[in-house]
Amino acid sequence: QVQLVESGGGSVQAGGSLKLSCVASGSIANRCAMGWYRQAPGKEREMVSSISSDRITYEDSVSGRFTISQDNVKNSLYLQMDSLKIEDTAVYFCTADICYRGVRTGRLWGQGTHVNVSS
């Protein structure tokens, strides 16, 4: 099975930037979207951003600060995070959605990369 591997996490001061990367170990058949989720300590996992052939979405709190992009040749997904806030501290997960006839039938998850934003 194809694996997703994230990198780029780390510690940064508030106001700083980080760029997360996610590389798929191979091509993903019927991939219809990719995205980033995060889970902060003591909180539920939430969608941060997603990208498909016709749409890019952002969670309200990151809109204008984060930018998602992908490189299909490199089977890679990126998340540029600027103006980081303490509340952005979380484990960030890369996802790849698999669809059949327009319906999502599965989702691959990476292992996650830690982002810690301090004051």
Side-chain angles (χ1 to χ4, degrees):
Q1 185 175 352
V2 175
Q3 293 185 328
L4 303 176
V5 180
E6 303 97 333
S7 62
S11 295
V12 65
Q13 287 191 320
S17 298
L18 283 173
K19 185 174 185 177
L20 305 183
S21 299
C22 169
V23 179
S25 60
S27 349
I28 301 171
N30 300 319
R31 176 175 56 87
C32 56
M34 295 193 74
W36 292 95
Y37 278 69
R38 68 184 179 186
Q39 186 165 20
K43 295 188 177 180
E44 293 190 355
R45 195 171 293 187
E46 64 175 358
M47 191 276 289
V48 175
S49 181
S50 67
I51 184 169
S52 64
S53 61
D54 61 350
R55 184 183 304 177
I56 291 177
T57 61
Y58 294 99
E59 194 269 329
D60 287 345
S61 69
V62 308
S63 182
R65 300 188 296 120
F66 291 9
T67 304
I68 192 170
S69 62
Q70 64 182 14
D71 185 330
N72 291 325
V73 173
K74 296 181 179 179
N75 289 328
S76 296
L77 180 73
Y78 307 98
L79 186 68
Q80 176 67 45
M81 305 187 296
D82 298 318
S83 302
L84 281 161
K85 302 177 180 181
I86 293 174
E87 51 263 40
D88 294 319
T89 295
V91 178
Y92 285 71
F93 299 90
C94 172
T95 64
D97 287 350
I98 298 163
C99 295
Y100 178 72
R101 293 186 176 180
V103 178
R104 182 169 67 85
T105 57
R107 173 172 286 165
L108 302 178
W109 289 85
Q111 292 298 308
T113 184
H114 291 257
V115 171
N116 182 60
V117 184
S118 60
S119 59

